[in-house]
Amino acid sequence: MFPTGSSIVFAAVPNDDFITFLSEISGKPVPMKYRRQRGQLVDAMLDAHFHIGGRKLAIGAEPDLLFDVSSMLHEMGAKVAVAVTTTESPVLARVATDDVLIGDLEDLETLSKERGCDLMITIPMVGKGPNVEDPFLSYGLPMFDRLERTSSFVGYRGTRI
């Protein structure tokens, strides 16, 4: 249903499966709106590839979000140097990194510095943020540091960070 001509569309594949499933059970074709959103996602990933490729990342999130975000960024050429999560889960074996630590935000921040990460991605840290000189992207829930984040975390639009 959706051609995948390059490896850059890995993050679109789970969404493709989901949208295809919905199309099959409804008996209706995939609406043009979702085809357009998929194209926008793939275009955004290709554009970001030139900035993300080769970067060392530290990601802290719940297991499923850790897998989703790290998979997408790994597909764009980033190296997940630090992966910290809150609990054991079977999905952790599929995270593209050498090891996943069950820990907290302090572990994430410490390991990020030790391993020379270019960017730390996690939920906003309540009451304390990362050092100003440390590049930081808040992602996930709860979102304490911004009011405008109302977009979805589901589908092609939700895949975009």
Side-chain angles (χ1 to χ4, degrees):
M1 177 160 295
F2 297 102
T4 55
S6 91
S7 64
I8 196 79
V9 297
F10 173 81
V13 171
N15 290 310
D16 290 348
D17 293 343
F18 177 61
I19 296 293
T20 301
F21 171 74
L22 293 176
S23 174
E24 289 171 356
I25 65 170
S26 70
K28 297 180 179 179
V30 175
M32 189 54 68
K33 163 180 154 177
Y34 297 112
R35 292 177 183 269
R36 199 169 31 256
Q37 287 176 4
R38 182 185 191 281
Q40 291 170 338
L41 170 63
V42 172
D43 187 49
M45 290 176 69
L46 182 59
D47 290 347
H49 179 268
F50 300 105
H51 302 284
I52 297 290
R55 304 283 183 188
K56 289 170 59 176
L57 306 178
I59 305 174
E62 297 293 325
D64 55 345
L65 186 60
L66 175 64
F67 171 70
D68 290 340
V69 171
S70 65
S71 296
M72 178 182 62
L73 295 170
H74 174 74
E75 190 63 27
M76 290 190 289
K79 176 177 178 8
V80 179
V82 177
V84 177
T85 192
T86 56
T87 187
E88 286 290 336
S89 172
V91 76
L92 295 178
R94 297 170 43 201
V95 175
T97 189
D98 294 334
D99 61 337
V100 177
L101 174 70
I102 307 299
D104 58 21
L105 295 175
E106 186 175 347
D107 296 322
L108 178 69
E109 195 169 7
T110 301
L111 288 172
S112 175
K113 288 179 193 216
E114 286 176 5
R115 296 184 185 171
C117 291
D118 300 307
L119 177 66
M120 183 169 37
I121 302 170
T122 190
I123 63 168
M125 299 176 197
V126 180
K128 114 180 183 63
N131 295 326
V132 175
E133 68 272 4
D134 296 336
F136 173 73
L137 174 67
S138 17
Y139 191 73
L141 296 172
M143 186 65 69
F144 295 113
D145 65 343
R146 44 184 93 145
L147 296 173
E148 77 276 2
R149 177 64 185 193
T150 57
S151 66
S152 173
F153 284 97
V154 178
Y156 300 113
R157 291 182 69 202
T159 304
R160 295 166 62 171
I161 294 180

